[in-house]
Amino acid sequence: AQKVTQAQTEISVVEKEDVTLDCVYETRDTTYYLFWYKQPPSGELVFLIRRNSFDEQNEISGRYSWNFQKSTSSFNFTITASQVVDSAVYFCALISHSGYSTLTFGKGTMLLVSP
Amino acid sequence: EAGVVQSPRYKIIEKKQPVAFWCNPISGHNTLYWYRQNLGQGPELLIRYENEEAVDDSQLPKDRFSAERLKGVDSTLKIQPAELGDSAVYLCASSLAGGGADTQYFGPGTRLTVL
């Protein structure tokens, strides 16, 4: 069975602060993929990043960075110098390589960035 | 390139009425998914299509929900009759192929309110 836990329900920060969103996952599979999606108030889920289980390199994309650690089963997401436009619900998700697997989402973390 | 298209964006109906949602996936994507997202939760898979074939409908409440994907492109999800508990956002997603290797891209969703 797969499980994704996002323990932070809601985070509030002031613009320009750095913020880290936590994601802890559980799976018995050795080959799997992890994702982060952003859901702004408009409702559409926007794909941000995908990592496979064999690639533990951290990744940086502009103000976004991701820290994947298999030893702690975590895939955390950091936004540097947050902006009001970053306000959204962020979902972490997991799927195994098996064709029978489904994409399992966490409950999401709502990020509120105030001016 | 056009993303996943869904219509309508919003739908309000009375309980016991039928309702249908339409989805057009990204061009060339063979796999299509329907998800339901309840308030404050992550999306949960209802059904997955590989071309015209429904390969995973284990979470689809078959007594009132039905889906089709004729010609392996567009898809329609129907609820008949709707119940109060069906109020949710219905998301359509598509990917090049099934399994975990391909990223799922989501449409804007249909927000259903059942009164």
Side-chain angles (χ1 to χ4, degrees), chain A residues 32-77:
Chain A
Y32 52 88
Y33 302 86
L34 294 162
F35 300 81
W36 277 95
Y37 287 87
K38 174 183 179 180
Q39 189 172 43
S42 61
E44 182 170 352
L45 273 167
V46 178
F47 165 71
L48 295 178
I49 190 172
R50 181 184 77 181
R51 303 296 286 179
N52 70 54
S53 52
F54 297 111
D55 185 359
E56 285 194 73
Q57 277 192 330
N58 292 333
E59 181 155 340
I60 298 175
S61 176
R63 296 184 296 106
Y64 295 171
S65 62
W66 290 269
N67 183 2
F68 175 30
Q69 290 192 333
K70 288 179 72 172
S71 61
T72 55
S73 297
S74 65
F75 186 40
N76 296 337
F77 173 29

